[in-house]
């Protein structure tokens, strides 16, 4: 492997690992918001307990995601200086906006939320987590706007080999942006739902004393699951319509269609000159894994809803074991989706504008290998630490002093214990 291939492998590892943290954070924060909103409105202590339990797991994963994001930032400067030089005026601006949103606004309000339990009014405290959730999704928007530019560059002009921004609104109207964003949001809902459902099912199997809270959590997650799965399928197919127009080579590769690949290769050779313009054919493998598994989850989600309505979900042990086993599935799917989107763009770093070879830094093979080894060890340790902490604090169950404030410290007597079938008793 040469330095460019090693840098590509490093980016694949770094991007995939960071994406795992981000997807879980985006999905889990929705449940934290929902439970705290119900606690604020109904004043039922059960929802406070649920908010603190899932909120602590969210904070752990969020911290790991921040560290993974910093690693991503270092990587751009170390391994992809050609990309920074050629498109930094456009691509770099979008990354900078995302950094301001994620590292300053989102992190600041999250800190206020963590240390504000029992110290600020309940409604204001609820507003903090709503801001955290909103900025998380705004951050995802800017990241995908930057990625959409790599997929389909718009709103720029080239001057002496450097891209300059000419139309900022064109970046926000990129046809590769909206469907991809909604697909990612849907995938985050699936990830959060299966994580909450799986951990809750695990607590049932352990016969935890906090069965009422985890019953509610499980019901919420089972209801949320199809709300993520079916839109994910829908917006995934809509992306293929856009890809057919902007990246025909990607579509030929993921469909593993030799005739289409030959036709597209001839068209691109006529446009860009001699070369291999078709992505590696193995990209069809993660595409098939993603498609078939997602359709399987669609069937599972409906089955779980049926079991929920008949109150069989927690009475039968088989569905509980199934939910525990499904926890890693969405993480596999999001990595497959990321590989399809990024590998399917090859051999371009910026489609039709900058090749991957030209985007890479002029590193020696040894320097690139050392960089890859260092980044991989760091990220592997980060994943191990995150999984260990999530397991350890999930295993503890609901604790009185979670997030630094005793349960019920800011509450008077419960004024409502009325629950629908959705949240259960």
């Amino acid at each position: 492997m040469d330095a460019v291939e090693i840098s590509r492998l490093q980016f694949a590892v770094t991007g995939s690992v960071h994406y795992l943290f981000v997807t879980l954070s985006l999905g889990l924060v929705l449940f934290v918001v929902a439970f705290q909103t119900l606690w604020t409105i109904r004043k039922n202590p059960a929802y406070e307990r649920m908010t603190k339990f899932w909120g602590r797991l969210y904070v752990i994963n969020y911290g790991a995601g921040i560290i993974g994001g910093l690693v991503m930032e270092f990587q751009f400067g170390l391994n992809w200086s050609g990309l920074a030089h050629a498109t930094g005026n456009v691509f770099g601006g979008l990354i900078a906006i995302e950094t301001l949103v994620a590292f300053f606004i989102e992190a600041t309000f999250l800190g206020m939320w963590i240390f504000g339990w029992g110290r600020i009014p309940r409604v204001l405290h609820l507003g903090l987590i709503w801001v955290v959730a909103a900025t998380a999704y705004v951050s995802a928007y800017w990241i995908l706007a930057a990625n959409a530019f790599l997929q389909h560059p718009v709103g720029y002009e080239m001057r002496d080999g450097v891209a300059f921004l000419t139309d900022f609104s064109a970046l926000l109207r990129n046809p590769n942006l909206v469907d991809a964003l909604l697909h990612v949001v849907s995938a985050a809902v699936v990830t959060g739902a299966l994580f909450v459902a799986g951990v809750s099912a695990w607590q049932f199997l352990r016969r935890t004393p906090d069965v009422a809270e985890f019953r509610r959590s499980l019901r919420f997650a089972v209801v949320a699951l199809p709300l993520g799965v079916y839109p994910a399928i829908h917006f995934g197919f809509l992306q293929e319509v856009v890809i057919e127009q902007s990246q025909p080579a990607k579509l030929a590769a993921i469909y593993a269609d030799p005739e289409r690949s030959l036709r597209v290769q001839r068209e691109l050779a006529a446009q860009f000159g001699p070369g291999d313009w078709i992505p590696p054919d193995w990209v069809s493998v993660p595409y098939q894994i993603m498609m078939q598994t997602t359709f399987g989850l669609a069937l599972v989600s409906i089955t779980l809803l049926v079991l929920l309505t008949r109150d069989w979900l927690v009475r039968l042990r088989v569905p509980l074991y199934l939910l525990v086993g499904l926890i890693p599935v969405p993480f596999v799917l999001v990595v497959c989706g990321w590989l399809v989107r990024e590998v399917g763009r090859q051999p371009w770093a910026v489609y039709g504008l900058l090749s991957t070879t030209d985007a890479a830094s002029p590193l020696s093979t040894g320097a690139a290998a050392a960089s890859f080894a260092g980044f991989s060890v760091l990220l592997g340790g980060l994943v191990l630490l995150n999984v260990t902490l999530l397991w350890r604090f999930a295993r503890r169950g609901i604790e009185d002093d979670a997030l630094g404030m005793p349960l019920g410290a800011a509450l008077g007597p419960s004024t409502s214990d009325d629950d629908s079938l959705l949240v259960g008793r």
Side-chain angles (χ1 to χ4, degrees):
M1 298 177 69
D2 60 20
V4 174
E5 292 174 328
I6 296 173
S7 294
R8 285 181 58 194
L9 184 58
Q10 177 179 311
F11 186 85
V13 172
T14 307
S16 297
V17 169
H18 179 60
Y19 193 28
L20 297 179
F21 300 139
V22 171
T23 307
L24 180 57
S25 292
L26 288 173
L28 197 52
V29 73
L30 298 177
F31 288 88
V32 178
V33 167
F35 296 150
Q36 185 165 354
T37 300
L38 287 169
W39 170 51
T40 303
I41 295 173
R42 297 191 175 194
K43 300 179 177 63
N44 184 343
Y47 293 117
E48 180 195 14
R49 292 163 63 83
M50 293 159 63
T51 301
K52 286 198 168 187
F53 176 80
W54 298 111
R56 182 158 63 176
L57 299 185
Y58 168 73
V59 170
I60 291 170
N61 186 75
Y62 180 88
I66 289 291
I67 298 173
L70 291 173
V71 174
M72 285 283 292
E73 297 291 339
F74 280 117
Q75 176 181 243
F76 281 119
L78 179 62
N79 295 82
W80 302 101
S81 59
L83 175 66
H85 172 75
T87 64
N89 295 322
V90 182
F91 176 77
L94 296 170
I95 295 293
I97 294 174
E98 187 275 335
T99 301
L100 289 173
V101 171
F103 284 12
F104 289 89
I105 301 176
E106 184 181 358
T108 298
F109 277 85
L110 180 60
M112 294 168 64
W113 181 79
I114 294 171
F115 297 105
W117 284 92
R119 297 180 176 87
I120 60 178
R122 187 187 296 116
V123 174
L124 180 59
H125 190 256
L126 173 64
L128 295 177
I129 195 62
W130 273 93
V131 173
V132 170
T135 51
Y137 282 89
V138 171
S139 175
Y141 173 84
W142 289 112
I143 280 292
L144 285 168
N147 185 264
F149 176 80
L150 302 181
Q151 305 288 336
H152 181 62
V154 294
Y156 73 98
E157 66 177 14
M158 297 299 294
R159 305 176 199 164
D160 299 324
V162 177
F164 288 87
L165 183 64
T166 58
D167 186 358
F168 185 73
S169 65
L171 298 177
L172 308 184
R173 293 181 283 105
N174 194 318
N176 278 263
L177 171 58
V178 176
D179 291 333
L181 174 65
L182 295 175
H183 184 68
V184 167
V185 170
S186 302
V189 173
V190 173
T191 305
L194 284 177
F195 181 81
V196 171
V199 173
S200 299
W202 178 55
Q203 299 287 0
F204 267 94
L205 293 170
R206 294 178 60 230
R207 304 182 185 279
T208 177
D210 305 307
V211 63
E213 286 78 9
F214 289 114
R215 181 189 295 267
R216 288 182 171 92
S217 297
L218 181 60
R219 291 175 179 267
F220 266 96
V222 169
V223 171
L225 181 57
L227 300 180
V229 171
Y230 286 93
I233 295 172
H234 173 71
F235 292 112
F237 279 123
L238 287 184
Q239 286 185 84
E240 293 187 12
V241 176
V242 177
I243 291 171
E244 187 172 14
Q245 299 173 354
S246 60
Q247 295 183 23
K250 177 184 290 186
L251 209 60
I254 64 175
Y255 286 171
D257 186 343
E259 293 184 4
R260 185 195 291 254
S261 296
L262 288 174
R263 175 174 55 80
V264 172
Q265 169 64 26
R266 288 194 297 267
E267 294 172 354
L268 294 178
Q271 181 179 359
F272 298 111
D276 185 4
W277 304 109
I278 304 297
D281 54 6
W282 62 261
V283 76
S284 63
V285 175
Y287 174 78
Q288 290 298 327
I289 292 174
M290 179 176 59
M291 292 294 295
Q292 296 177 25
T293 307
T294 304
F295 280 116
L297 283 179
L299 297 176
V300 169
S301 68
I302 296 300
T303 303
L304 291 173
L305 275 179
V306 172
L307 294 175
L308 176 65
T309 57
R310 295 181 178 273
D311 203 29
W312 291 343
L313 190 58
V314 297
R315 296 179 182 178
L316 303 175
R317 296 181 69 85
V318 173
L320 297 178
Y321 280 112
L322 173 64
L323 286 169
V324 174
L326 287 175
I327 291 177
V329 170
F331 297 101
V332 174
L333 293 180
V334 297
V335 170
C336 287
W338 186 250
L339 288 174
V340 170
R341 187 168 176 86
E342 295 303 295
V343 177
R345 192 174 69 242
Q346 296 303 312
W348 300 102
V350 183
Y351 194 83
L353 179 63
L354 182 70
S355 70
T356 303
T357 301
D358 293 334
S361 300
L363 300 175
S364 66
T365 301
S371 171
F372 173 60
F375 276 64
S376 297
V377 169
L378 176 61
L379 289 169
L382 186 61
V383 170
L384 181 61
L385 176 64
N386 189 44
V387 172
T388 301
L389 290 176
L390 289 175
W391 177 82
R392 179 176 298 175
F393 283 95
R395 192 172 185 275
R396 288 185 182 181
I398 298 174
E399 295 184 318
D400 182 66
D401 60 346
L403 298 176
M405 180 61 62
L407 291 165
L411 279 177
S414 173
T415 60
S416 175
D417 194 30
D418 177 48
D419 292 300
S420 65
L421 176 64
L422 174 65
V423 294
R425 282 191 174 275

